[in-house]
Amino acid sequence: MEPSQENTQPNQGLDLSAVRSKNMPADQGGQAAGAGAGAGGAGGQAGQDPNAVAVPGLVFDVDESTFTSLVAISDRVPVVIDLWAEWCEPCKQLSPVLERVVTSYGGRLVLAKVDVDANPRLQQAFGVQSIPTVVALIKGQPVPLFQSALPEPQVQAYFDELLKLAGENGVTGYAAVGGAEPEPAGPAHPEAEEALAKGDFDTAESLFKAALANSPADEEAKFGLARAGLGRRLIDQEPADLIAAAEADPQDVEAAKAAADAEIVSGNADSAFNRLISLIRTTAGDEKESLRLRVLDLFEVLGADDPAVTKARTALMRALF
């Protein structure tokens, strides 16, 4: 992947070039699985991009005769399955939320809708006791998500975690509707990216926050916000001095967080995560929570596909539980 734009203002002492961009799914490699889906049975590789999987839509209906197509799709793109029925009022509340949130991810997820009354064998296969029930498929394996109608922010939180799980299992493709390959796109937030490149981190942060207020699932805005926060924290700081201060007092939480920031931009992510997670094991209360949030923020800076993030995520879970 290409490095992100670096700060061009020499007086700020910050180089973000060690922080990798995660803008283009096509950079991740891998082969798209041939797949048919929905009543139309669109299938095969979309265009020439090996990460693109042809689907009839980001949201589509499936029944018992077409359900097996979802397994092939789930080899490359996580499939969310909405098990519903016409008579179910909570289903009617949840379904439009699911459709809206899935669509906001721009092809990183697809939504398959199953009417359980018309497809009792699928209801039985998933062991559905009540509806609405929402599950997912990753590489053909079912992943239970939730039951009942949830507010949109909670649905987004579940799907964010689903995408992390998918990434850890190598499911990093995207859905291309009708087999069409997306046109190459420039930055999703050019004004914010320009401010970030100039070292105007406050403006960049404000613009990325505004984008997230309009679209909470906007991955590019999340990524940009994390980089802007990192840049703002390190303005006029010398990374070597921050690391030395943390080494002098290993129990100083604020010094550890600052040193981890410095190590991230210096390209030493493993050391940054080890430093923070070691302190998480020995702290409690607000200090422990602030360390946890900083680790998650730095995960966002590097991206879920970074090997250091994958390793640190496991270590973080062990430290917390």
Side-chain angles (χ1 to χ4, degrees):
M1 293 185 181
E2 294 297 323
S4 64
Q5 292 175 304
E6 65 183 73
N7 174 21
T8 58
Q9 294 192 1
N11 293 332
Q12 292 178 331
L14 173 63
D15 179 7
L16 287 177
S17 62
V19 179
R20 296 184 298 167
S21 174
K22 57 180 183 180
N23 289 342
M24 297 299 293
D27 289 340
Q28 295 170 353
Q31 294 297 318
Q45 182 172 305
Q48 299 301 314
D49 188 340
N51 280 309
V53 178
V55 295
L58 297 182
V59 179
F60 50 86
D61 294 315
V62 293
D63 57 23
E64 292 169 1
S65 67
T66 59
F67 186 82
T68 55
S69 65
L70 297 186
V71 176
I73 294 174
S74 73
D75 283 342
R76 298 299 302 133
V77 179
V79 178
V80 177
I81 302 171
D82 175 19
L83 295 128
W84 66 284
E86 185 63 36
W87 49 264
C88 170
E89 289 301 322
C91 296
K92 295 177 182 178
Q93 298 172 20
L94 179 62
S95 287
V97 173
L98 294 175
E99 294 175 17
R100 186 163 57 248
V101 175
V102 165
T103 301
S104 75
Y105 284 91
R108 297 177 67 212
L109 298 169
V110 296
L111 176 64
K113 299 173 66 64
V114 175
D115 182 342
V116 296
D117 285 346
N119 300 279
R121 287 192 297 177
L122 293 180
Q123 178 180 3
Q124 183 178 13
F126 284 103
V128 175
Q129 301 296 318
S130 65
I131 55 175
T133 290
V134 180
V135 299
L137 287 181
I138 294 178
K139 289 189 172 179
Q141 298 300 310
V143 180
L145 294 179
F146 57 88
Q147 294 178 324
S148 77
L150 296 181
E152 189 163 326
Q154 291 186 35
V155 173
Q156 290 166 345
Y158 272 102
F159 290 175
D160 284 344
E161 291 302 313
L162 177 64
L163 284 170
K164 291 174 185 177
L165 178 64
E168 290 167 3
N169 285 275
V171 179
T172 56
Y174 66 96
V177 177
E181 190 171 341
E183 293 290 330
H189 306 286
E191 292 183 4
E193 291 289 348
E194 182 179 359
L196 191 62
K198 291 178 178 178
D200 186 355
F201 300 116
D202 289 338
T203 297
E205 198 168 49
S206 176
L207 291 170
F208 284 126
K209 283 181 178 179
L212 283 169
N214 290 326
S215 179
D218 186 336
E219 289 295 317
E220 289 305 312
K222 291 178 185 179
F223 177 44
L225 182 61
R227 286 183 295 154
L230 176 64
R232 181 173 45 76
R233 293 193 299 268
L234 289 176
I235 288 177
D236 295 328
Q237 299 292 332
E238 177 57 50
D241 292 344
L242 297 175
I243 294 169
E247 296 290 347
D249 187 357
Q251 299 306 309
D252 186 327
V253 169
E254 293 305 316
K257 291 193 294 184
D261 285 344
E263 287 167 327
I264 288 292
V265 298
S266 300
N268 195 359
D270 285 333
S271 179
F273 291 132
N274 288 339
R275 182 185 302 279
L276 296 177
I277 293 171
S278 294
L279 265 182
I280 285 174
R281 295 188 180 101
T282 61
T283 53
D286 290 343
E287 287 189 331
K288 188 185 193 82
E289 178 64 4
S290 72
L291 289 163
R292 183 187 74 85
L293 292 175
R294 181 58 55 84
V295 171
L296 295 180
D297 187 64
L298 296 179
F299 283 175
E300 194 67 48
V301 168
L302 292 179
D305 59 337
D306 190 286
V309 171
T310 301
K311 183 168 69 173
R313 197 182 300 281
T314 300
L316 176 62
M317 294 297 293
R318 290 174 178 168
L320 292 171
F321 303 104

